[in-house]
Amino acid sequence: MTDEYPVSAPVNLHEYEVAARALLPPAVYGFFAGGAEDEVTLRANRVAFEHWRLLPRVLRAIREPDLATTVLGQSISLPVMLTPLAYQRLVHAEGELAAARAARTAGTIFTLSTSASSTIEDVAAQTDQWWFQLYVQREREVTRSLVQRAEAAGAGALVITVDFPVLGRRESDLRYGFTVPERANVVDRPLAEGATHSWALGWDDLEWIASLSQLPIVLKGILAAEDAVLAIEHGARGIVVSNHGGRQLDSAVAALDALPAIVAAVESQAEIYLDGGIRRGVDVLKALALGARAVLLGRPFVWGLTVRGEAGVAHVLELLRAEIAMAMTLSGCAHIEGVTRALVVPEGVVERR
Amino acid sequence: MTDEYPVSAPVNLHEYEVAARALLPPAVYGFFAGGAEDEVTLRANRVAFEHWRLLPRVLRAIREPDLATTVLGQSISLPVMLTPLAYQRLVHAEGELAAARAARTAGTIFTLSTSASSTIEDVAAQTDQWWFQLYVQREREVTRSLVQRAEAAGAGALVITVDFPVLGRRESDLRYGFTVPERANVVDRPLAEGATHSWALGWDDLEWIASLSQLPIVLKGILAAEDAVLAIEHGARGIVVSNHGGRQLDSAVAALDALPAIVAAVESQAEIYLDGGIRRGVDVLKALALGARAVLLGRPFVWGLTVRGEAGVAHVLELLRAEIAMAMTLSGCAHIEGVTRALVVPEGVVERR
Amino acid sequence: MTDEYPVSAPVNLHEYEVAARALLPPAVYGFFAGGAEDEVTLRANRVAFEHWRLLPRVLRAIREPDLATTVLGQSISLPVMLTPLAYQRLVHAEGELAAARAARTAGTIFTLSTSASSTIEDVAAQTDQWWFQLYVQREREVTRSLVQRAEAAGAGALVITVDFPVLGRRESDLRYGFTVPERANVVDRPLAEGATHSWALGWDDLEWIASLSQLPIVLKGILAAEDAVLAIEHGARGIVVSNHGGRQLDSAVAALDALPAIVAAVESQAEIYLDGGIRRGVDVLKALALGARAVLLGRPFVWGLTVRGEAGVAHVLELLRAEIAMAMTLSGCAHIEGVTRALVVPEGVVERR
Amino acid sequence: MTDEYPVSAPVNLHEYEVAARALLPPAVYGFFAGGAEDEVTLRANRVAFEHWRLLPRVLRAIREPDLATTVLGQSISLPVMLTPLAYQRLVHAEGELAAARAARTAGTIFTLSTSASSTIEDVAAQTDQWWFQLYVQREREVTRSLVQRAEAAGAGALVITVDFPVLGRRESDLRYGFTVPERANVVDRPLAEGATHSWALGWDDLEWIASLSQLPIVLKGILAAEDAVLAIEHGARGIVVSNHGGRQLDSAVAALDALPAIVAAVESQAEIYLDGGIRRGVDVLKALALGARAVLLGRPFVWGLTVRGEAGVAHVLELLRAEIAMAMTLSGCAHIEGVTRALVVPEGVVERR
């Protein structure tokens, strides 16, 4: 026991960000940490969790809560996946490979970004639990090749990002003159050459993309319930409620705020995941209580990767797992199915029900 | 790419204010930046935008959004005009002339203030897209002359300011002993001589003013829906919802907060514009979604004028145009007509609809 | 015009407090400025004004607004009276005498506190517009003597403080060891001797007090509508909605927050005044719009008294008068009767009505 | 009277915390002061009191308010008991013994924690007004022995903590490497050896525990109204609405926010107490007005114990008693029964009723 505040290992995800920030060049930290314009939505993603409080139940004789669940039929050991994030080699030499291994060790899914700094095949060699995130490319052949390589390499699902018709304006990057690195991405040509993403993707294009493989389709970046309904009509099996981590349209609704209306509209016709703002186990519980099947973790695992590579990502996931287990035990939830809408109430005086 | 925070060109409108503040004498900065009394309404004008969040739509195959619209039948290339502001030569030698040219280059309307530091005719020589803002003068002949000179010089509309029965109490000016400069204004006599504005304007006076020219009448400074209805009954073609940038009645409702009730009351019988608090492209989208046809930009263009004259105003408008285009693309709006009430929701959990 | 921030005459009531604080011993400043316990109610009194915004009307041809009104049939030139405050000689040698003269010059009413540091007769020699505030004393004869002296000296009303059954706990006084000065009060014996106020006053006692004089009775310190109704049943002609400036029960409702329910319950059977938190002309307008007939000003006039004696109190009143006149003109109110409920709306998006 | 801010005796409970913090090693201060994870619930416990304002009544002829009440039939001289807190010898050599004596002197109940640093019998020798708090132990015999020793020693009730299935994650302890001291607890074996508390307690176990003694059962740590109903069905005579002082499930609802729904559900079938966030007499009044029969005081009495041992705890209780008496007098409540729901209103404009 010491009276001085020790600067040892991070004890939570917040502290991983502090540690990573101290290690990274400001431009790289800014690239990952930053949001669009005034970062209203970036902050809103966190604040939205404060709108809700947990109403725990007691005396439920819980010994060891069971955190396991499934996503699109695949088992995961905790309701947390890794979200697709670009250029992970900017923060650690092993980049995506280290993160993928850590996810596998933790028993969950790594999602490989089209803008990754490692190839599809290299990532697939690290883990059999991964999904592929697709930025639809301007050239159809490039898109076809990506999807087919992902399927051949064993991806479990195709996550199509739909909130990226154009690169959002992140002023941190403008200030530092940050540009994405050449030859960093899986498409084997530098994205920095220009907007190779298609900025005019429409619902009709989805049909063609779906025809390219047998992979189940997940749409990432939906906030309006009307779009969630359209997603199902177009065959989506999963929906990631997300505003791209506050990096695209500033002032967009917070991801968690958008969740309940989407859950209500979808009526179990697809699985709903939440992406944005997860920092604590209780955040995961709130998202699940409001109808998400699982959440996607973003920046925090990059901070773990920055600080200690694979071990750092693994530690981030284990910290979160421990917090979820603790929160479930303290809330009276023995299983993930026990995390229901009754667990959360709006901040303020609890209404009788 | 640099790791140091660079002090180069402003990348947004906020940074133009920072740059201008460093260049201006405090009294002049205070004259333009300040509001009445405790600046409650000045701040409220900005905070009101935070009450709303955008609920973007995806996969709408938008290539290049079209920002063009019309105001009173005149085409403008983006839904932003320049609001009337006094004494622009206080911040740059070319004052109104530079701002008018920049607006014309950007394809939008410059509004010349009665308290301008350039003459009607000189401004009219810079642009064919301008409106004239009228402070009704105590002497009827002065008012008549102003209106007729404006019409003769080609003004597109007559913007009558109705929230200025008396000069608001701006304590910044009192502290610095700031007084308006002599011979600065278009009426060819110093306003500083005393209150030459009429402080007892009534609805009946509007009839007489309308009779002075063929110019369409726009009333600027309306916040109550009842007054908007009266404005239409008295022949107004346009209404600027405005509290004079928080410079007149402190504690008046925020302009954006007043907008929806006015839009509902007017029922398309006049065009509604919003003035006050615009700093970002998403602000423009929110105003349009809530029923404004266009917005008027104030302080930010003066900061551009301060920093780089005509080029600064032009840059401010181009930054805003780029932000609007980005926000429309990310929101799924191909045209200005696509920016509808469905795009905005109150801050907080999204209600199912 | 100067670019340096000048430290000259206060331009508003806030600046009078700053100036007075610099002049007073901390214990004396704390005695007047402080509130009970955590000062929750002290702050709430101010915050309550921020819940409301003004919705001004335009083009009403107002030349010079008329601020005159009446209270209990007495004319006052503006809807602001001076509230009873103890020991005004602590801040200026002339104390209550100076304040009373300033009020008279301004054409309004001075209210003399039972805990004043000047005698009834001396104050009555300064002004014919004054009311007497009564702390009912433990000894009936003392109370009788006070009331009869006040009536004999020409008081216009008897303001009975009902929220002072015991001295509130002001921790500023405890920290500085502040005690009320000996022989300071009008009852000709030191209040510091102990609790001479009656702490067990009941509704029945009012009858006896009313019988002591012909003076109209005003009850000061009512927050619950039920008590306002009882006040009328017991013959009160006026009610001061007040929490004793946040100095008695900490966490009591803000005075302005309590006003509307009381106005609704009283239904014009008595005049309602507001005491607490007035710092600006727009505050006065809000109180009047919500149903107050006039307001009582407290701490700000003591700050004026501290800084410049009678002239300071006069300046405070003239600043407030100018602000009220400005606010009425900018709101479209030609007369006090024009300040109606329609002038105020809750903070936030204006509801259609 | 002095003009310098004196650093003498604390005048309120907040100042006791300041004084104690200066005396304690940071790790020990952190152990008592800290909450779980981000301390959202710790802060919420305080903020919840700010949601409510008091609406005092006047002229009720109150001389000396009577603060006495009963809990489970036992008389207490004020509606405040001491909550069970572990290891009080960490802050003062006499620990629980001093606190128990102070409570007895004040005429209220001390609650002895299972994790106390004094034995049951030693505490019972100090006071005849005490309850025993039970952490149900993994070994049934240990639990049986504890309950029977408590009954034999004269405990007035058995307070079973139900929100402690596992030790909450207090990061202050992790940072300082704080561990609970060996041989500190009443069970005569170090709790630090590991989780000897049962982490899988269920409703059924309560029956067995109830059978161990004749002591009335109080369940501590209930937030959901459904659990309060279950508690009554399982024979509980009292319920402590509590989130363990924000030390267990972070983001759990504030104790005060949970109170009204529980009071409504229980319908007087059990006594309801509130634990968490009490710092002022007005806090006690709010809790009682919302339906609590009494409150439990935690951290503040430990700060008193730190600063002055028994005398400090006594002073903390007397400060609180004086504040409650003041608040009752100023609110028009002569007796505890007079503190009803009508006394509190939500923050903001008072609704007519």
Side-chain angles (χ1 to χ4, degrees), chain D residues 237-284:
Chain D
R237 298 268 308 279
I239 289 167
V240 183
V241 177
S242 169
N243 50 37
H244 216 106
R247 296 165 75 84
Q248 288 289 95
L249 177 65
D250 197 30
S251 220
V253 295
L256 191 72
D257 284 337
L259 179 63
I262 289 179
V263 168
V266 164
E267 292 176 340
S268 306
Q269 299 171 77
E271 293 186 352
I272 311 292
Y273 318 118
L274 180 92
D275 165 86
I278 298 290
R279 297 294 178 275
R280 286 286 189 185
V282 290
D283 298 336
V284 178

Side-chain angles (χ1 to χ4, degrees), chain A residues 5-6 11-12 62 280 286, chain D residues 38 169 171 175 199 227 251:
Chain A
Y5 187 104
V11 302
N12 59 43
I62 297 171
R280 285 287 188 185
K286 288 177 185 176
Chain D
D38 297 321
R169 195 177 156 80
E171 295 175 358
R175 288 194 189 97
W199 59 80
D227 280 340
S251 220

